[in-house]
Amino acid sequence: MTDSEAPPAKAPEGVSGAPALPQPVLEIASGYAFTGPALDLGALLWDGRCLPDVQIRIPLPMLNRHGLVAGATGTGKTKTLQLIAEQLSAQGVPVFLADVKGDVSGISAPGQENDKVRTRAGEVRQEWTPAGFPCEFYALGGMGHGIPVRATVTSFGPVLLSKVLQLNQTQEQSLGLIFHYADQKGLELVDLKDLRAVVTFLTSDEGKSELKGIGGLSTATAGVILRSLTVFEAQGMSPFFGEPEFDTSELSRVAGDGRGTVSVLELPAVQDKPQLFSTFLMWLLADLFHDLPEVGDVDRPKLVFFFDEAHLLFNDASKAFLDAITQTVRLIRSKGVGVFFVTQTPKDVPGDVLAQLGNRVQHALRAFTPDDQKALKSTVKTFPNSPYDLEEVLTALGTGEAVVTVLSEKGAPTPVAATRLRAPESLMGPVDPAALDRAVEQSPLYGRYAEAVDRESAYEKLTASEAEAALSPAPAAPAESASSRGRGRKGDDQDSSVVEQVVGSGVFKSLARSLGTQIGREITRSVFGTARRRR
């Protein structure tokens, strides 16, 4: 009954011969008796019993009001993502999942029935049927099993790149100045060597004058940026930047049978690079925000984006970065995109962002240390008033159980409900790597993104300009120009010849072409400094 309309709980009747439902349970049941399409999460837990007559659900139109899935390690967060993703796909909604540990790929294959699955399905009154869902698998820079996902440095922008390079506020501002210059001059930053070439040029004797009018770039700051780039490249990060750049509209695809495609970004190969992959996830979201049209409130989301290991995004983030996240999350709802942050406790998410998350699925928390106790009390305060003793409930929940509150069809918070969650119908574990590779190579997107392309960009243009400057007789040019003033036609012909050589040179034509394609680049940068691509 994934997309069926659930009837309200039967009021005075008992459950399985038990006494009639108490008043708090009836109030909770009434709060989740939605009439429109909804996702089924599970059955209510009350006083140690699972009550399958009281189904806990999320209205489908409310999925773009964003959400939080939280809980300690091993409490079942990943399976909750899988459960929600399956039902979204079944109702025609595309989904994006970041697979940090490598165990989400099973969503593409039918699940395996066993005693645990049968028991869980019986407890929550679930008609469990094994099913796989249409998937595309991606990998950052092609590292791992998946279609390579790359971004150009120009598109990535200075704010996100500063986060990856761990620059301070002054260095971030200087990097923004470098991007500003490159945008104006049509020097497209495709990969890291392009950025290195522009920074090196701007600190050279020839290039220093270029930035005097807009603040300049100190040699010390430029040196820090160059050293950060060197360390970044030494860690094997270069493949993530380049072309062909990933078109984030691919994440909104629907399969031929009408089900939403589940896009799984495989991250096990880069899980030791948290700054990189968490910031890349933000680039995907920022790019979607930048390019998608306004749609307002819709009957179903255009895409639901699960942001796993969200705490990594906020760690050591600058105020500008946090402000940009808050603005993106607040406004992307009107583009039809829902965002779910996945982390351990709500305190991992800044208050301004947490305030935007209307749907909450909180798995168990541990309270072994004073810090754990503090996190538990903070988490309880983020929930509406509840008949439960939430401090006790949150520490006693079992695996696959959670405390839930969502937004009703009218946009009001539903009552807090301890819930035994349904079992996913797809495989609860990774698929075989060989099968995963076959699925990737058979994808129609593989040929579009598999091979990296290194076309002419800032590095090549600046290198060619330096080569031409070295070959041209620059010191003699002023003297020749002065003496030619009195030579009439011959001098004019010489000047004309020089101009024709410059205008006809490959460097000039390349720069002109690049300038033509870059017009409007700067004014279309988003709050993150990401650049809109011309598709």
Side-chain angles (χ1 to χ4, degrees):
M1 290 176 52
T2 298
D3 56 354
S4 61
E5 296 182 358
K10 299 174 183 177
E13 295 183 25
V15 178
S16 302
L21 298 178
Q23 187 60 34
V25 172
L26 295 177
E27 292 174 1
I28 293 172
S30 176
Y32 289 89
F34 311 125
T35 58
L39 308 187
D40 297 314
L41 293 181
L44 182 71
L45 288 170
W46 182 265
D47 197 22
R49 292 186 298 147
C50 182
L51 307 180
D53 283 346
V54 184
Q55 291 291 311
I56 306 303
R57 316 168 79 223
I58 303 179
L60 186 61
M62 292 296 111
L63 266 295
N64 72 339
R65 296 304 201 274
H66 310 320
L68 176 74
V69 178
T73 301
T75 56
K77 296 192 299 294
T78 300
K79 299 302 175 282
T80 298
L81 304 188
Q82 196 168 339
L83 174 67
I84 296 174
E86 289 177 354
Q87 296 188 57
L88 285 168
S89 174
Q91 299 202 44
V93 178
V95 178
F96 172 86
L97 295 173
D99 186 7
V100 179
K101 297 185 289 291
D103 54 0
V104 178
S105 59
I107 196 171
S108 63
Q112 298 174 349
E113 189 173 11
N114 54 39
D115 289 341
K116 287 185 178 180
V117 169
R118 282 190 293 269
T119 300
R120 177 58 60 98
E123 290 172 342
V124 300
R125 198 171 292 164
Q126 174 187 6
E127 296 179 8
W128 189 89
T129 304
F133 295 82
C135 289
E136 290 285 1
F137 297 98
Y138 300 97
L140 287 184
M143 292 184 64
H145 303 278
I147 297 164
V149 173
R150 305 180 188 89
T152 65
V153 173
T154 284
S155 176
F156 205 71
V159 178
L160 293 176
L161 190 60
S162 294
K163 180 74 161 58
V164 170
L165 297 178
Q166 301 181 41
L167 303 181
N168 64 28
Q169 183 177 352
T170 300
Q171 294 154 3
E172 178 181 323
Q173 292 170 348
S174 295
L175 188 62
L177 193 65
I178 293 165
F179 273 76
H180 174 80
Y181 172 80
D183 284 353
Q184 282 193 328
K185 298 298 183 181
L187 295 171
E188 193 163 9
L189 308 175
V190 172
D191 50 28
L192 294 178
K193 73 177 184 298
D194 290 323
L195 179 58
R196 179 185 295 280
V198 172
V199 177
T200 302
F201 170 73
L202 290 174
T203 55
S204 67
D205 293 338
E206 181 185 0
K208 283 180 180 177
S209 61
E210 293 286 316
L211 285 181
K212 284 184 178 178
I214 51 174
L217 177 67
S218 75
T219 303
T221 300
V224 171
I225 294 173
L226 287 173
R227 285 193 296 274
S228 297
L229 283 171
T230 299
V231 172
F232 191 67
E233 290 174 301
Q235 293 174 344
M237 307 293 198
S238 296
F240 306 118
F241 294 96
E243 290 183 324
E245 183 173 65
F246 182 68
D247 185 343
T248 52
S249 66
E250 309 283 13
L251 303 180
S252 302
R253 296 166 62 229
V254 175
D257 60 5
R259 292 184 296 173
T261 298
V262 181
S263 299
V264 182
L265 184 63
E266 293 290 324
L267 295 172
V270 293
Q271 61 180 307
D272 60 336
K273 302 174 176 64
Q275 289 277 1
L276 176 72
F277 74 70
S278 62
T279 310
F280 241 94
L281 293 181
M282 196 66 234
W283 172 74
L284 291 172
L285 193 60
D287 195 70
L288 284 164
F289 170 70
H290 207 195
D291 285 0
L292 289 174
E294 295 278 342
V295 295
D297 288 325
V298 290
D299 293 336
R300 65 186 62 226
K302 301 295 183 184
L303 172 70
V304 176
F305 191 105
F306 288 93
F307 209 122
D308 205 357
E309 301 291 346
H311 64 282
L312 299 173
L313 180 69
F314 303 113
N315 288 348
D316 302 320
S318 66
K319 184 179 184 303
F321 190 83
L322 293 176
D323 289 345
I325 294 174
T326 304
Q327 185 173 350
T328 300
V329 172
R330 181 182 295 122
L331 299 178
I332 202 169
R333 180 183 68 78
S334 64
K335 308 290 184 93
V337 177
V339 182
F340 274 71
F341 290 97
V342 185
T343 188
Q344 294 205 358
T345 71
K347 74 180 184 64
D348 294 335
V349 181
D352 288 344
V353 176
L354 191 63
Q356 309 297 318
L357 312 183
N359 303 299
R360 301 276 299 280
V361 181
Q362 176 68 59
H363 288 266
L365 290 174
R366 309 304 178 210
F368 300 140
T369 68
D371 285 343
D372 290 343
Q373 290 280 358
K374 185 177 179 180
L376 176 62
K377 291 181 182 295
S378 298
T379 298
V380 170
K381 290 178 182 178
T382 64
F383 281 92
N385 290 334
S386 165
Y388 293 96
D389 180 345
L390 286 180
E391 285 194 35
E392 180 180 341
V393 169
L394 285 173
T395 54
L397 289 170
T399 301
E401 297 175 348
V403 170
V404 175
T405 179
V406 301
L407 294 181
S408 70
E409 294 167 310
K410 296 181 180 179
T414 59
V416 175
T419 306
R420 181 160 293 162
L421 299 168
R422 292 181 165 223
E425 296 182 338
S426 56
L427 183 64
M428 289 189 277
V431 298
D432 180 70
L436 185 56
D437 286 337
R438 284 195 300 272
V440 170
E441 292 171 5
Q442 291 169 4
S443 168
L445 302 181
Y446 184 74
R448 191 179 308 171
Y449 296 108
E451 294 297 327
V453 176
D454 188 12
R455 64 176 174 86
E456 185 183 53
S457 49
Y459 171 80
E460 288 79 12
K461 293 170 186 175
L462 290 172
T463 301
S465 296
E466 290 174 4
E468 286 203 359
L471 293 172
S472 62
E480 290 175 4
S481 176
S483 62
S484 66
R485 292 193 186 107
R487 294 181 184 176
R489 183 70 181 177
K490 184 177 179 181
D492 292 341
D493 289 343
Q494 288 177 341
D495 289 343
S496 176
S497 176
V498 172
V499 171
E500 287 172 356
Q501 289 176 22
V502 173
V503 173
S505 70
V507 175
F508 183 92
K509 289 180 178 179
S510 176
L511 285 171
R513 283 196 307 271
S514 182
L515 280 169
T517 61
Q518 296 290 318
I519 290 174
R521 167 80 71 184
E522 196 166 23
I523 61 172
T524 61
R525 285 193 177 274
S526 74
V527 290
F528 273 107
T530 56
R532 184 190 301 274
R533 295 186 302 279
R534 297 183 181 277
R535 296 192 167 113

